Amino acid sequence: MYTAMNSISRRRDGKSRWRLGAIALATVVTGAMLASCAGGTTPDAGGADARTLVVGISGDPANLDPQAGSNSLDNEITKNTYIQWLQYELPKVTGDDFGIVDVSKVIGDAVDISLSEDELTATFTIKDGLKFPSGNPVTSEDFRYTMERTFENGLGSIFIFNTAGIADLSQFTEVSDTEFTLTLPEPSPLLLPLFRDQSISVLDSVELAKHVTDADPWGLDWMAQNSLGGGAYTLTSYEAGNEIVLEKNADYPGAADIYYDKILLRIIAAEDQRAQLLANGTLDIAQGLSVDSAVSLEGTDGVSITGIPTRSQDVLGFVQTFEPFQNVQVREAIAHAIDYAGLSEFVGKGFTEQPKGLWPQGSFYFDANLDNNPLVTDLDLAKQLLAEAGYADGFEFEIQVSQAETSAQALAVAVQSALAEIGVTVTVTQLAPATFTENLFAKNGQAFIRNLSSYVDDPYYTLFLFYTTSAVLNWWAMDDAEINSIADQLRTETDPDARLALAGQAQERLNAIIPHLVLSEPKYILATGSDQQGFVLEPDGLIRYSTLSRVE
């Protein structure tokens, strides 16, 4: 048998690296949502409220139910108010540095996990003394109930279980109150990284039973507006449109090492106002700032602006059911017409990285040794490829972007200008967000620009999500036998070296067939007071408040 720590332990370059993510905290709430204390005192280092962190967020959560969260804010609150099955090992960070988790190191949060030699049975042992804010002990029944509630209601968290190979409750066996097993149909390299996802956070089944009704037997309505909790912080009050209050859970393992006693999430819709409040010291962290806001704050006394490399990508996708994008030479020609350095400098303004291929550089699995990166500016080669493809006189096509994505709009204008240099005429169409998304999934637009990212840094997950013929997010309508074969091998391959090799093959193939371009790789913009420290980035990009502290 081996434990969760015995997974992938090195990068291709032989060096261990901290990788992507964000700071979040498990939290808890045992009753109905309370009215928040609006307009609290601004924390001041050395003052009475030095142990209070004030964070500016852009809006209200849509749903507090971990299994039904629909956006980053919902997920961030869950991550900070519930206990997860597993989590990435968090690096220790001091001073003004930041940490990036090593995605090969998954450890227990609520449970310790071990796998049988054939990797078909996972044994979970609940950590000693673990309890919910209600005082109820965390038991195997709580895990079973969490799974049952997911399956019976088809909640969003079903994706996590199904992708890991868990299709129904027959795969769950209770050994004791503190131990249970899950049986797998085949080895699953995704079991560990998926089971640290906040959407399957463990629910207090005894407490939730008090809030179900005949009309709502699973407490879906109650959970949408309330929090059971169990993690590092407890959600103690929430006033819609104003403030969410999280308080440290003294019973959470390791609570004594958590610096902040209270987190105030101030709801401030206007981005410029969040930036201003950070500048004047009212906020400790301003979330959701654009590149322009970040640039405007650089050099401001008492403010720290840091761009942290991520796996996020802004892509120009080609829908291959449309001519001329069925022709790889056309896709390659467009790739060579783009000025990537210029995009990084003039659109990204220092808060993006120039791409080095279709696979994100921030990935644990990125292969820097490949020599077939198509994202290299060469206008003469671009014109030659167009001529060879039968388009010496150029052609016309439409790029669709969402009205809600200003960065995509700016990139589209830059692409439009660049392609004019090789005789290609681009029309940019801005669509309402709902219409843009509908067209994306229906594949009824020629091309589009949008951000591409995922919560899990794993080669199978990436191919399964975006690039296989049956991928849910195969927006480019690609159908490549080699990519399908690599994904099929990665689905069950658990040997670290073999997975790195297969990931390299996938990257080389994607660079060759170019289903999309990567225009830029946006950095995570961390906008804080200069007295904040301890930020750790995880692949999901969600803030974990338990690692943060104030310089004293």
Side-chain angles (χ1 to χ4, degrees):
M1 300 177 73
Y2 67 89
T3 67
M5 290 295 292
N6 293 332
S7 52
I8 303 167
S9 59
R10 70 171 181 83
R11 284 179 52 84
R12 184 174 299 275
D13 58 12
K15 298 179 181 179
S16 176
R17 292 227 0 224
W18 293 346
R19 279 288 158 218
L20 260 107
I23 327 174
L25 270 160
T27 50
V28 281
V29 137
T30 58
M33 295 168 58
L34 308 173
S36 163
C37 303
T41 306
T42 301
D44 176 67
D49 294 315
R51 295 289 179 125
T52 296
L53 181 74
V54 184
V55 182
I57 58 177
S58 61
D60 291 278
N63 196 317
L64 291 176
D65 189 334
Q67 298 178 320
S70 60
N71 57 47
S72 295
L73 177 59
D74 294 354
N75 293 332
E76 183 164 299
I77 291 173
T78 292
K79 190 168 183 174
N80 282 280
T81 55
Y82 281 84
I83 189 167
Q84 284 82 58
W85 299 46
L86 307 172
Q87 68 175 32
Y88 293 118
E89 183 178 49
L90 300 172
K92 297 293 184 183
V93 182
T94 58
D96 59 0
D97 199 2
F98 59 85
I100 301 179
V101 298
D102 182 339
V103 298
S104 73
K105 296 180 179 179
V106 180
I107 61 175
D109 192 15
V111 295
D112 291 317
I113 180 175
S114 61
L115 296 176
S116 59
E117 289 186 9
D118 62 6
E119 302 180 39
L120 298 181
T121 302
T123 300
F124 297 85
T125 304
I126 299 171
K127 293 190 174 181
D128 291 342
L130 200 62
K131 61 182 180 180
F132 294 107
S134 63
N136 297 322
V138 178
T139 68
S140 297
E141 171 59 19
D142 296 310
F143 287 86
R144 190 205 65 79
Y145 177 82
T146 298
M147 294 176 62
E148 182 182 24
R149 187 173 184 267
T150 292
F151 294 133
E152 288 295 322
N153 295 283
L155 299 173
S157 49
I158 199 170
F159 175 80
I160 300 298
F161 289 116
N162 287 173
T163 306
I166 308 298
D168 57 58
L169 272 178
S170 67
Q171 295 169 257
F172 178 98
T173 300
E174 181 176 329
V175 178
S176 69
D177 283 347
T178 59
E179 185 176 314
F180 61 93
T181 64
L182 292 176
T183 56
L184 303 173
E186 59 187 11
S188 174
L190 286 180
L191 180 67
L192 300 183
L194 284 176
F195 271 47
R196 49 92 248 145
D197 192 85
Q198 73 289 328
S199 69
I200 62 169
S201 294
V202 189
L203 303 181
D204 184 343
S205 60
V206 175
E207 183 64 25
L208 183 52
K210 301 175 182 178
H211 304 284
V212 302
T213 65
D214 290 342
D216 185 21
W218 296 99
L220 298 177
D221 293 338
W222 187 86
M223 284 287 287
Q225 299 295 321
N226 297 271
S227 175
L228 293 167
Y233 285 87
T234 300
L235 195 160
T236 56
S237 68
Y238 170 29
E239 182 180 349
N242 185 25
E243 184 176 75
I244 303 168
V245 179
L246 313 180
E247 296 186 15
K248 184 164 68 173
N249 176 11
D251 293 325
Y252 181 76
D257 297 325
I258 296 175
Y259 179 86
Y260 283 113
D261 296 325
K262 183 181 292 186
I263 312 296
L264 303 181
L265 302 177
R266 296 274 170 78
I267 299 166
I268 305 165
E271 178 188 338
D272 58 349
Q273 187 178 2
R274 294 196 301 278
Q276 181 181 4
L277 292 173
L278 177 65
N280 69 24
T282 300
L283 297 178
D284 293 309
I285 299 176
Q287 289 198 8
L289 296 189
S290 65
V291 167
D292 287 339
S293 291
V295 170
S296 72
L297 287 169
E298 287 186 305
T300 301
D301 187 41
V303 172
S304 174
I305 302 296
T306 306
I308 303 175
T310 71
R311 292 180 300 113
S312 178
Q313 299 174 303
D314 290 324
V315 303
L316 168 59
F318 308 113
V319 182
Q320 294 178 32
T321 53
F322 289 93
E323 287 287 356
F325 298 125
Q326 294 169 342
N327 190 324
V328 68
Q329 283 186 306
V330 172
R331 303 197 298 270
E332 185 179 359
I334 293 176
H336 289 306
I338 304 299
D339 178 9
Y340 301 96
L343 289 180
S344 180
E345 180 178 356
F346 297 111
V347 179
K349 300 177 182 178
F351 288 94
T352 64
E353 289 193 302
Q354 186 174 335
K356 302 299 182 184
L358 271 70
W359 205 268
Q361 297 173 81
S363 171
F364 179 93
Y365 295 91
F366 176 71
D367 188 346
N369 297 318
L370 295 179
D371 59 5
N372 71 330
N373 173 21
L375 309 179
V376 177
T377 308
D378 188 332
L379 294 182
D380 291 336
L381 179 56
K383 293 175 182 178
Q384 175 187 327
L385 288 167
L386 278 184
E388 292 175 359
Y391 294 93
D393 296 328
F395 62 94
E396 299 179 5
F397 76 100
E398 176 194 45
I399 295 178
Q400 297 182 354
V401 296
S402 170
Q403 293 172 347
E405 299 295 333
T406 56
S407 61
Q409 295 163 26
L411 288 168
V413 171
V415 168
Q416 183 182 51
S417 176
L419 296 188
E421 296 294 318
I422 60 169
V424 174
T425 302
V426 173
T427 299
V428 178
T429 303
Q430 296 186 24
L431 300 174
T435 304
F436 175 79
T437 300
E438 181 180 345
N439 286 357
L440 201 63
F441 282 91
K443 304 180 181 68
N444 59 8
Q446 293 174 290
F448 60 88
I449 293 177
R450 65 151 292 156
N451 185 261
L452 195 69
S453 60
S454 68
Y455 274 13
V456 179
D457 183 8
D458 179 87
Y460 172 66
Y461 189 84
T462 299
L463 298 184
F464 161 82
L465 201 61
F466 298 115
Y467 298 117
T468 61
T469 303
S470 59
V472 178
L473 306 182
N474 178 11
W475 296 314
W476 6 86
M478 64 180 284
D479 181 13
D480 187 78
E482 186 172 338
I483 286 293
N484 290 341
S485 175
I486 295 170
D488 191 55
Q489 295 174 70
L490 282 166
R491 190 184 75 249
T492 58
E493 180 58 70
T494 58
D495 178 75
D497 290 329
R499 291 181 67 74
L500 281 169
L502 287 167
Q505 293 175 31
Q507 293 168 62
E508 187 170 26
R509 182 59 180 167
L510 289 173
N511 284 348
I513 61 177
I514 322 173
H516 62 76
L517 307 186
V518 180
L519 302 175
S520 66
E521 296 186 345
K523 296 179 181 180
Y524 182 97
I525 296 176
L526 178 63
T528 73
S530 57
D531 61 346
Q532 299 301 312
Q533 61 183 357
F535 181 87
V536 177
L537 191 63
E538 300 178 46
D540 55 20
L542 306 175
I543 295 183
R544 186 184 295 274
Y545 301 115
S546 58
T547 67
L548 296 180
S549 63
R550 191 184 302 279
V551 178
E552 295 181 329

